[in-house]
Amino acid sequence: DTGVSQDPRHKITKRGQNVTFRCDPISEHNRLYWYRQTLGQGPEFLTYFQNEAQLEKSRLLSDRFSAERPKGSFSTLEIQRTEQGDSAMYLCASTLDGGYTFGSGTRLTVV
Amino acid sequence: DQQVKQNSPSLSVQEGRISILNCDYTNSMFDYFLWYKKYPAEGPTFLISISSIKDKNEDGRFTVFLNKSAKHLSLHIVPSQPGDSAVYFCAAYSGAGSYQLTFGKGTKLSVIP
């Protein structure tokens, strides 16, 4: 098991474009989380899946954001009509019993 | 409303000495506390954790102390090494909920050779 994988590592996009990130969690982990980290801040919770069910969403997750976890395996996070304020590191983490493992993140830059 | 606070943005320590990183929290529902280490352009790496039923947990050079009455925890690194230079995040969650982590803003530790 190679841990939590995120793709791409970096993404530069023009304002108004749509972007999609992928996360592959540790295979036996049933819980998957998305966090966002901006400069000078700690990671902030965005959303959480238990198996394929999205059980919780932060108020930070505007209508332009959508996340899926089909079949309870990998997850995707899509941002529609990107804005400069969406520039951040997007982190995925998975856990079975509270022992979190984070991926290396996707650095999004909106120009 | 910041529920987990790390009031020192940075800390410099000589190699071989003790590093003490502090964290305060306000939410009484938190019952698990974790410390993560983060290098630029990488995800956080788990260091050590403590549950609210304990007041100390030790793992090699790393020790975490929890003072529930003061809602305060600290991470001690002894001896500090240059490779310890990174940003350290304190995080907490409630075991009764979704295990959603609430992070502090981090403390940048610089260990000077």
Side-chain angles (χ1 to χ4, degrees):
Chain A
D1 196 343
T2 56
V4 178
S5 299
Q6 291 190 245
D7 183 67
R9 290 292 307 273
H10 301 94
K11 178 72 177 178
I12 299 174
T13 190
K14 290 184 178 180
R15 188 165 47 120
Q17 296 294 304
N18 299 345
V19 294
T20 300
F21 311 140
R22 177 180 171 121
C23 171
D24 288 273
I26 292 174
S27 56
E28 62 265 29
H29 287 182
N30 60 343
R31 297 179 184 228
L32 185 148
Y33 302 78
W34 286 97
Y35 289 81
R36 180 173 71 186
Q37 185 180 14
T38 53
L39 198 61
Q41 303 293 318
E44 296 174 294
F45 170 78
L46 290 179
T47 190
Y48 146 64
F49 290 85
Q50 183 157 336
N51 299 311
E52 67 275 9
Q54 188 174 19
L55 297 185
E56 197 168 333
K57 290 194 284 188
S58 163
R59 67 184 191 284
L60 292 175
L61 213 66
S62 76
D63 291 345
R64 297 183 297 105
F65 287 70
S66 63
E68 294 182 341
R69 192 184 182 195
K71 303 177 184 177
S73 56
F74 71 92
S75 176
T76 58
L77 178 67
E78 180 184 16
I79 309 174
Q80 295 183 327
R81 305 181 303 282
T82 52
E83 301 173 356
Q84 286 189 319
D86 297 331
S87 295
M89 172 79 86
Y90 289 84
L91 294 160
C92 177
S94 69
T95 183
L96 183 61
D97 56 1
Y100 269 72
T101 301
F102 279 86
S104 296
T106 294
R107 167 71 65 188
L108 173 67
T109 303
V110 182
V111 297
Chain B
D1 174 26
Q2 225 186 333
Q3 299 183 59
V4 177
K5 299 179 184 179
Q6 293 177 257
N7 291 320
S8 298
S10 63
L11 175 68
S12 289
V13 172
Q14 287 289 132
E15 181 179 2
R17 306 294 291 267
I18 184 171
S19 295
I20 300 176
L21 296 94
N22 293 302
C23 178
D24 298 292
Y25 64 98
T26 58
N27 189 337
S28 300
M29 298 299 292
F30 290 147
D31 47 13
Y32 291 91
F33 304 90
L34 307 90
W35 284 94
Y36 283 85
K37 176 179 179 180
K38 189 178 185 299
Y39 295 113
E42 293 186 12
T45 302
F46 171 75
L47 275 177
I48 192 167
S49 64
I50 189 167
S51 76
S52 57
I53 63 172
K54 295 186 174 182
D55 55 18
K56 177 183 175 181
N57 189 26
E58 201 169 346
D59 184 1
R61 296 187 297 115
F62 302 92
T63 303
V64 57
F65 296 91
L66 175 62
N67 183 334
K68 280 179 60 179
S69 61
K71 293 190 173 69
H72 177 84
L73 60 154
S74 60
L75 174 68
H76 293 208
I77 306 173
V78 182
S80 301
Q81 300 173 354
D84 295 330
S85 297
V87 178
Y88 288 77
F89 289 98
C90 173
Y93 71 87
S94 167
S98 64
Y99 295 178
Q100 170 195 141
L101 286 173
T102 301
F103 284 84
K105 290 188 177 184
T107 297
K108 183 176 182 180
L109 173 65
S110 299
V111 180
I112 303 161

